[in-house]
Amino acid sequence: LEELVELRVLEAGGNKLTALPDSLGSSCPALEVLDVSRNKLTSLAAMSDAPSLLVLKADDNLLADAEEIPLDTMPRLKSLSMSNNLLTELPEALGQLQYLEALNVAGNKVTSLGAMAELKDKTLKTVVLDGNPLEDKNR
């Protein structure tokens, strides 16, 4: 996928991928939609330079380490779906997503929503959290 500078949509779901091509984000600078759902990915680090990305779907993978999801390099992201993975926490950079409208992290192992605190004054409209063992801090 080297230097596909005009590529805007990449749908690679259900392919048993264990890794994304190195530097996928920088090789496809116009990429706006990436769907890598239903694979066996443990990292999205290859997307560490994706300035045009608007939609990221990474449902049904093996993502466990929030730091392997470089959201800080996706400033235009509007929709993020990472349901049915192994995440125990949300990526710290989540609060930097100024335009995020939809977040789906259902079916993970998230116990705290700390990273969401910075989203309160943003454009977030939909949050799906069901199926996580969230702790009630008010008890």
Side-chain angles (χ1 to χ4, degrees):
L1 293 176
E2 287 187 34
E3 303 304 319
L4 294 174
V5 295
E6 297 298 321
L7 185 67
R8 296 199 185 286
V9 177
L10 177 57
E11 294 185 6
N15 284 298
K16 299 181 183 174
L17 296 174
T18 57
L20 294 175
D22 290 340
S23 304
L24 177 62
S26 59
S27 297
C28 305
L31 191 64
E32 294 178 348
V33 177
L34 176 63
D35 184 350
V36 291
S37 298
R38 301 175 323 279
N39 283 294
K40 297 180 181 194
L41 298 173
T42 58
S43 172
L44 297 177
M47 296 305 299
S48 63
D49 187 15
S52 299
L53 200 64
L54 300 174
V55 177
L56 175 58
K57 295 179 185 177
D59 303 313
D60 300 299
N61 277 287
L62 301 173
L63 299 172
D65 185 354
E67 300 310 311
E68 291 291 320
I69 306 164
L71 297 179
D72 56 331
T73 66
M74 304 173 189
R76 297 180 59 211
L77 202 62
K78 289 185 175 188
S79 178
L80 174 60
S81 188
M82 300 183 298
S83 68
N84 301 314
N85 278 285
L86 304 170
L87 295 171
T88 57
E89 62 184 5
L90 299 176
E92 285 295 321
L94 191 63
Q96 297 174 22
L97 299 176
Q98 299 289 323
Y99 305 105
L100 191 66
E101 294 177 3
L103 173 66
N104 182 353
V105 290
N108 279 284
K109 299 175 188 242
V110 175
T111 58
S112 171
L113 301 177
M116 285 189 60
E118 293 180 43
L119 291 173
K120 65 179 180 173
D121 296 324
K122 307 288 190 309
T123 57
L124 195 61
K125 295 176 181 153
T126 304
V127 177
V128 182
L129 299 168
D130 53 324
N132 283 287
L134 294 170
E135 296 175 358
D136 185 356
K137 300 285 185 185
N138 295 324
R139 289 186 184 181

